[in-house]
């Protein structure tokens, strides 16, 4: 990677890096439990790890959907994960004023896909000096993401990551176009495949997002084979009880075997 992330380990391994964790921070015990297992697995496989957790879920299908346990409480949990395990953390922000608030607790600020064209948000994130991970809009091509990269870099911050999470045509499903990975790498920034969100089935009639978790391994293998620099995988000990995006998360107990396969693919294509 040609970016600098504090506390990121195993960058000399030649492996892809991993952004992983629960969709949302549901509580301290759960976050520490997941982080401990992620650290164990990635240390063994020498995979650089960034722990992911949303401190607040602003983009929900229904008004009564879970949004969080409280901003400061969740951000402090992310900080505790980082301090306890010595790993960097990432969380998403949704409005410009959130950038400085979240930056006080995490190492990477994530721009949600629906907001990747919001200039004020990108500039605010850039001005914190933190690494900015921009998710590609479901409605955009990989090539068009150069403008989002330019907004951050021209605001004085060269530490940018781009993440693909599939494309949608408004029919409650996502399609992954793997041409987007090399297209976004043309911007000379690391490119990540968001495996679990690319398998979402949003805007279901029930108002609860669905998903196709059985295809997680397929998308992850293809992304590494194409040359993705990193993977984004949301994981939970019991996805069925997760308060957000349980339908497309990977069960934590299945992560280690998947990563073992992906490391072998990475070695083969390197």
């Amino acid at each position: 990677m040609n970016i600098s992330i504090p506390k990121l380990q195993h960058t000399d391994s030649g492996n892809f890096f991993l952004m992983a964790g629960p969709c949302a921070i549901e509580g301290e015990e759960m976050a520490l439990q997941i982080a401990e297992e992620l650290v164990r697995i990635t240390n063994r496989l020498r995979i650089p790890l960034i722990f992911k957790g949303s401190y607040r879920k602003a983009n929900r299908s229904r008004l009564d959907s879970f949004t969080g346990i409280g901003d400061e409480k969740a951000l402090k949990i992310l900080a505790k994960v980082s301090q306890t395990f010595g790993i960097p953390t990432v969380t998403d922000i949704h409005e410009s004023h959130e950038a400085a608030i979240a930056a006080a607790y995490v190492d990477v600020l994530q721009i949600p896909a629906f907001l990747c064209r919001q200039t004020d948000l990108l500039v605010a994130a850039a001005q914190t000096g933190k690494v900015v991970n921009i998710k590609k809009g479901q409605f955009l091509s990989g090539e068009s993401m150069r403008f989002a990269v330019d907004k951050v870099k021209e605001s004085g911050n060269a530490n940018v990551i781009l993440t693909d999470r599939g494309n949608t045509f408004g029919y409650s499903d996502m399609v992954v176009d793997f041409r987007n990975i090399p297209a976004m790498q043309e911007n000379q920034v690391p490119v990540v495949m968001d495996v679990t969100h690319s398998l979402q089935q949003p805007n279901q009639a029930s108002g609860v997002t669905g998903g196709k978790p059985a295809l997680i391994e397929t998308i992850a293998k293809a992304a590494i084979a194409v040359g993705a620099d990193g993977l984004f995988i949301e994981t939970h000990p019991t996805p069925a009880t997760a308060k957000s995006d349980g339908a497309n998360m990977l069960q934590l107990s299945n992560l280690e075997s998947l990563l073992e396969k992906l490391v072998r693919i990475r070695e083969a294509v390197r």
Side-chain angles (χ1 to χ4, degrees), residues 177-192:
D177 182 350
F178 287 99
R179 295 176 299 177
N180 284 324
I181 292 175
M184 291 195 291
Q185 286 172 330
E186 289 293 318
N187 294 290
Q188 303 301 309
V189 300
V191 172
V192 174

mmCIF file of all heavy atoms in Angstrom, residues 177-192:
data_model
loop_
_atom_site.group_PDB
_atom_site.id
_atom_site.type_symbol
_atom_site.label_atom_id
_atom_site.label_comp_id
_atom_site.label_asym_id
_atom_site.label_seq_id
_atom_site.Cartn_x
_atom_site.Cartn_y
_atom_site.Cartn_z
ATOM 1 N N ASP A 177 -18.869 -5.659 -10.918
ATOM 2 C CA ASP A 177 -18.129 -5.566 -12.169
ATOM 3 C C ASP A 177 -16.654 -5.463 -11.801
ATOM 4 O O ASP A 177 -16.181 -4.408 -11.368
ATOM 5 C CB ASP A 177 -18.580 -4.331 -12.947
ATOM 6 C CG ASP A 177 -17.872 -4.188 -14.292
ATOM 7 O OD1 ASP A 177 -16.900 -4.931 -14.535
ATOM 8 O OD2 ASP A 177 -18.280 -3.319 -15.084
ATOM 9 N N PHE A 178 -15.916 -6.547 -11.962
ATOM 10 C CA PHE A 178 -14.530 -6.582 -11.506
ATOM 11 C C PHE A 178 -13.600 -5.716 -12.352
ATOM 12 O O PHE A 178 -12.440 -5.517 -11.987
ATOM 13 C CB PHE A 178 -14.038 -8.028 -11.441
ATOM 14 C CG PHE A 178 -14.625 -8.799 -10.294
ATOM 15 C CD1 PHE A 178 -15.692 -9.653 -10.492
ATOM 16 C CD2 PHE A 178 -14.145 -8.640 -9.010
ATOM 17 C CE1 PHE A 178 -16.261 -10.339 -9.432
ATOM 18 C CE2 PHE A 178 -14.695 -9.313 -7.939
ATOM 19 C CZ PHE A 178 -15.759 -10.175 -8.155
ATOM 20 N N ARG A 179 -14.105 -5.161 -13.451
ATOM 21 C CA ARG A 179 -13.305 -4.188 -14.205
ATOM 22 C C ARG A 179 -13.050 -2.938 -13.380
ATOM 23 O O ARG A 179 -12.096 -2.197 -13.636
ATOM 24 C CB ARG A 179 -14.033 -3.805 -15.499
ATOM 25 C CG ARG A 179 -14.187 -4.949 -16.493
ATOM 26 C CD ARG A 179 -14.996 -4.511 -17.706
ATOM 27 N NE ARG A 179 -16.346 -4.090 -17.330
ATOM 28 C CZ ARG A 179 -17.237 -3.606 -18.220
ATOM 29 N NH1 ARG A 179 -16.905 -3.495 -19.492
ATOM 30 N NH2 ARG A 179 -18.440 -3.248 -17.806
ATOM 31 N N ASN A 180 -13.903 -2.705 -12.390
ATOM 32 C CA ASN A 180 -13.746 -1.503 -11.570
ATOM 33 C C ASN A 180 -12.466 -1.511 -10.742
ATOM 34 O O ASN A 180 -11.950 -0.452 -10.380
ATOM 35 C CB ASN A 180 -14.945 -1.344 -10.637
ATOM 36 C CG ASN A 180 -16.181 -0.845 -11.356
ATOM 37 O OD1 ASN A 180 -16.090 -0.034 -12.274
ATOM 38 N ND2 ASN A 180 -17.347 -1.335 -10.955
ATOM 39 N N ILE A 181 -11.960 -2.690 -10.400
ATOM 40 C CA ILE A 181 -10.755 -2.759 -9.568
ATOM 41 C C ILE A 181 -9.552 -2.178 -10.302
ATOM 42 O O ILE A 181 -8.922 -1.220 -9.815
ATOM 43 C CB ILE A 181 -10.503 -4.195 -9.066
ATOM 44 C CG1 ILE A 181 -11.605 -4.587 -8.073
ATOM 45 C CG2 ILE A 181 -9.121 -4.313 -8.414
ATOM 46 C CD1 ILE A 181 -11.538 -6.024 -7.596
ATOM 47 N N PRO A 182 -9.183 -2.694 -11.492
ATOM 48 C CA PRO A 182 -8.039 -2.058 -12.187
ATOM 49 C C PRO A 182 -8.340 -0.624 -12.619
ATOM 50 O O PRO A 182 -7.424 0.209 -12.659
ATOM 51 C CB PRO A 182 -7.805 -2.973 -13.395
ATOM 52 C CG PRO A 182 -9.079 -3.733 -13.579
ATOM 53 C CD PRO A 182 -9.646 -3.897 -12.205
ATOM 54 N N ALA A 183 -9.608 -0.320 -12.902
ATOM 55 C CA ALA A 183 -9.947 1.053 -13.295
ATOM 56 C C ALA A 183 -9.654 2.024 -12.158
ATOM 57 O O ALA A 183 -9.091 3.106 -12.379
ATOM 58 C CB ALA A 183 -11.422 1.132 -13.698
ATOM 59 N N MET A 184 -10.004 1.653 -10.929
ATOM 60 C CA MET A 184 -9.761 2.545 -9.797
ATOM 61 C C MET A 184 -8.299 2.557 -9.383
ATOM 62 O O MET A 184 -7.803 3.551 -8.841
ATOM 63 C CB MET A 184 -10.673 2.156 -8.630
ATOM 64 C CG MET A 184 -12.142 2.448 -8.906
ATOM 65 S SD MET A 184 -13.216 2.412 -7.442
ATOM 66 C CE MET A 184 -13.193 0.667 -7.034
ATOM 67 N N GLN A 185 -7.573 1.469 -9.651
ATOM 68 C CA GLN A 185 -6.141 1.450 -9.352
ATOM 69 C C GLN A 185 -5.362 2.417 -10.231
ATOM 70 O O GLN A 185 -4.229 2.782 -9.892
ATOM 71 C CB GLN A 185 -5.595 0.026 -9.499
ATOM 72 C CG GLN A 185 -6.013 -0.886 -8.353
ATOM 73 C CD GLN A 185 -5.647 -2.342 -8.565
ATOM 74 O OE1 GLN A 185 -5.587 -2.813 -9.707
ATOM 75 N NE2 GLN A 185 -5.423 -3.074 -7.477
ATOM 76 N N GLU A 186 -5.956 2.868 -11.324
ATOM 77 C CA GLU A 186 -5.314 3.866 -12.178
ATOM 78 C C GLU A 186 -5.079 5.181 -11.436
ATOM 79 O O GLU A 186 -4.260 6.005 -11.844
ATOM 80 C CB GLU A 186 -6.168 4.126 -13.422
ATOM 81 C CG GLU A 186 -6.198 2.982 -14.427
ATOM 82 C CD GLU A 186 -4.850 2.758 -15.081
ATOM 83 O OE1 GLU A 186 -4.192 3.758 -15.432
ATOM 84 O OE2 GLU A 186 -4.444 1.578 -15.216
ATOM 85 N N ASN A 187 -5.810 5.369 -10.320
ATOM 86 C CA ASN A 187 -5.641 6.581 -9.522
ATOM 87 C C ASN A 187 -4.444 6.500 -8.579
ATOM 88 O O ASN A 187 -4.219 7.419 -7.781
ATOM 89 C CB ASN A 187 -6.908 6.838 -8.707
ATOM 90 C CG ASN A 187 -8.101 7.168 -9.579
ATOM 91 O OD1 ASN A 187 -8.165 8.235 -10.181
ATOM 92 N ND2 ASN A 187 -9.053 6.239 -9.662
ATOM 93 N N GLN A 188 -3.701 5.396 -8.634
ATOM 94 C CA GLN A 188 -2.517 5.201 -7.797
ATOM 95 C C GLN A 188 -2.868 5.214 -6.312
ATOM 96 O O GLN A 188 -2.149 5.792 -5.489
ATOM 97 C CB GLN A 188 -1.447 6.261 -8.108
ATOM 98 C CG GLN A 188 -1.019 6.301 -9.565
ATOM 99 C CD GLN A 188 -0.458 4.978 -10.061
ATOM 100 O OE1 GLN A 188 0.433 4.402 -9.443
ATOM 101 N NE2 GLN A 188 -0.988 4.470 -11.163
ATOM 102 N N VAL A 189 -3.989 4.584 -5.976
ATOM 103 C CA VAL A 189 -4.400 4.420 -4.584
ATOM 104 C C VAL A 189 -4.771 2.960 -4.370
ATOM 105 O O VAL A 189 -5.119 2.256 -5.323
ATOM 106 C CB VAL A 189 -5.603 5.333 -4.229
ATOM 107 C CG1 VAL A 189 -5.245 6.796 -4.426
ATOM 108 C CG2 VAL A 189 -6.843 4.961 -5.049
ATOM 109 N N PRO A 190 -4.693 2.469 -3.133
ATOM 110 C CA PRO A 190 -5.126 1.100 -2.867
ATOM 111 C C PRO A 190 -6.624 0.940 -3.156
ATOM 112 O O PRO A 190 -7.420 1.838 -2.872
ATOM 113 C CB PRO A 190 -4.846 0.917 -1.376
ATOM 114 C CG PRO A 190 -3.865 1.978 -1.026
ATOM 115 C CD PRO A 190 -4.166 3.125 -1.928
ATOM 116 N N VAL A 191 -6.988 -0.207 -3.711
ATOM 117 C CA VAL A 191 -8.385 -0.485 -4.036
ATOM 118 C C VAL A 191 -8.846 -1.738 -3.289
ATOM 119 O O VAL A 191 -8.176 -2.768 -3.297
ATOM 120 C CB VAL A 191 -8.593 -0.659 -5.550
ATOM 121 C CG1 VAL A 191 -10.009 -1.139 -5.868
ATOM 122 C CG2 VAL A 191 -8.319 0.663 -6.263
ATOM 123 N N VAL A 192 -9.991 -1.595 -2.632
ATOM 124 C CA VAL A 192 -10.555 -2.631 -1.772
ATOM 125 C C VAL A 192 -11.855 -3.143 -2.383
ATOM 126 O O VAL A 192 -12.604 -2.383 -2.996
ATOM 127 C CB VAL A 192 -10.833 -2.046 -0.362
ATOM 128 C CG1 VAL A 192 -11.562 -3.055 0.527
ATOM 129 C CG2 VAL A 192 -9.528 -1.607 0.290
#
